[in-house]
Amino acid sequence: NAGVTQTPKFRVLKTGQSMTLLCAQDMNHEYMYWYRQDPGMGLRLIHYSVGEGTTAKGEVPDGYNVSRLKKQNFLLGLESAAPSQTSVYFCASGSGGRGANVLTFGAGSRLTVL
Amino acid sequence: ELKVEQNPLFLSMQEGKNYTIYCNYSTTSDRLYWYRQDPGKSLESLFVLLSNGAVKQEGRLMASLDTKARLSTLHITAAVHDLSATYFCAVDVNYGGSQGNLIFGKGTKLSVKP
């Protein structure tokens, strides 16, 4: 059982380049999330989705776009990367709904923008 | 806007001592989560607290929730080195237009020394 898989795990970009991070989950979870983690800042929510075809902005959405065309996948795009987007990105999924929304996290993707 | 504050952000403890980490949040919610992160790793779920007065215990860790005070505590009893990690609390919104919004505190980096 893979859980939550993020690709790629590492990437180096030049300023202005674009890229997409892919998150895939095999737990049939409704909710999916993208967070970024920076030293001293904890995890900050970028975008999230409460179901296939839906997306919503989190705390720090600027400079990022997302899509949830299939329930199992949540894509995070950077159209024009900036050094301020150097970070570790975590994808997570949860069952949502009325009960506990315990998140399962991916292993993280380390992105460096030069 | 949902905000989650943890304190302290850094905690250096001696083995065998007790201490408490505090988590305050800014909006009505009865769903609070605690996660643990080891250096260079992803996050793992520790506790789920779903109602006022909820208390959960696992080994030397005990978490509680007071929804009226919008406060959760993570109490460490007789700390051991293996508890060294960063601990995060998280709160989610399960109603209205912000349903699914799940915000983390900045984390408490715990170091247990002999």
Side-chain angles (χ1 to χ4, degrees):
Chain A
N1 202 354
V4 177
T5 303
Q6 293 181 228
T7 53
K9 289 186 168 49
F10 301 93
R11 183 77 186 267
V12 178
L13 288 178
K14 294 181 179 179
T15 297
Q17 287 185 318
S18 64
M19 75 159 296
T20 300
L21 294 173
L22 172 63
C23 178
Q25 53 99 0
D26 62 2
M27 296 168 287
N28 202 34
H29 282 165
E30 288 293 335
Y31 291 13
M32 295 188 75
Y33 299 81
W34 277 108
Y35 292 90
R36 61 177 288 174
Q37 185 173 32
D38 304 290
M41 300 298 291
L43 272 77
R44 291 183 291 170
L45 180 61
I46 304 172
H47 287 280
Y48 63 102
S49 167
V50 297
E52 181 179 315
T54 74
T55 63
K57 294 180 180 180
E59 301 170 277
V60 289
D62 293 343
Y64 304 95
N65 56 75
V66 287
S67 64
R68 182 108 182 263
L69 298 180
K70 293 183 178 181
K71 185 176 183 178
Q72 63 267 34
N73 296 337
F74 196 30
L75 278 64
L76 178 71
L78 287 72
E79 289 187 348
S80 180
S84 61
Q85 294 177 304
T86 294
S87 187
V88 179
Y89 292 84
F90 285 100
C91 176
S93 70
S95 55
R98 291 178 176 268
N101 185 25
V102 177
L103 299 188
T104 300
F105 281 83
S109 297
R110 183 175 293 276
L111 174 65
T112 301
V113 183
L114 302 175
Chain B
E1 181 186 354
L2 174 58
K3 292 187 178 181
V4 181
E5 293 186 356
Q6 280 182 244
N7 69 82
L9 297 183
F10 298 94
L11 179 54
S12 181
M13 297 177 63
Q14 279 192 309
E15 281 190 331
K17 299 292 186 182
N18 305 332
Y19 209 82
T20 300
I21 299 170
Y22 297 88
C23 175
N24 291 90
Y25 55 97
S26 63
T27 194
T28 301
S29 176
D30 57 2
R31 306 199 324 180
L32 189 134
Y33 312 88
W34 285 95
Y35 290 83
R36 169 180 170 145
Q37 184 181 37
D38 291 306
K41 302 292 186 182
S42 189
L43 283 81
E44 295 183 345
S45 175
L46 284 175
F47 297 111
V48 180
L49 302 167
L50 297 179
S51 61
N52 186 40
V55 177
K56 294 283 183 71
Q57 183 162 4
E58 178 79 29
R60 300 173 188 273
L61 300 178
M62 183 174 70
S64 65
L65 177 62
D66 181 343
T67 59
K68 294 180 180 179
R70 300 179 181 173
L71 170 69
S72 179
T73 60
L74 180 66
H75 187 72
I76 304 157
T77 301
V80 294
H81 180 72
D82 285 352
L83 291 179
S84 298
T86 299
Y87 294 86
F88 292 92
C89 65
V91 177
D92 74 346
V93 176
N94 193 33
Y95 55 87
S98 297
Q99 185 172 3
N101 190 13
L102 201 160
I103 301 298
F104 280 77
K106 290 187 176 181
T108 298
K109 186 172 183 179
L110 172 65
S111 176
V112 181
K113 302 180 185 301

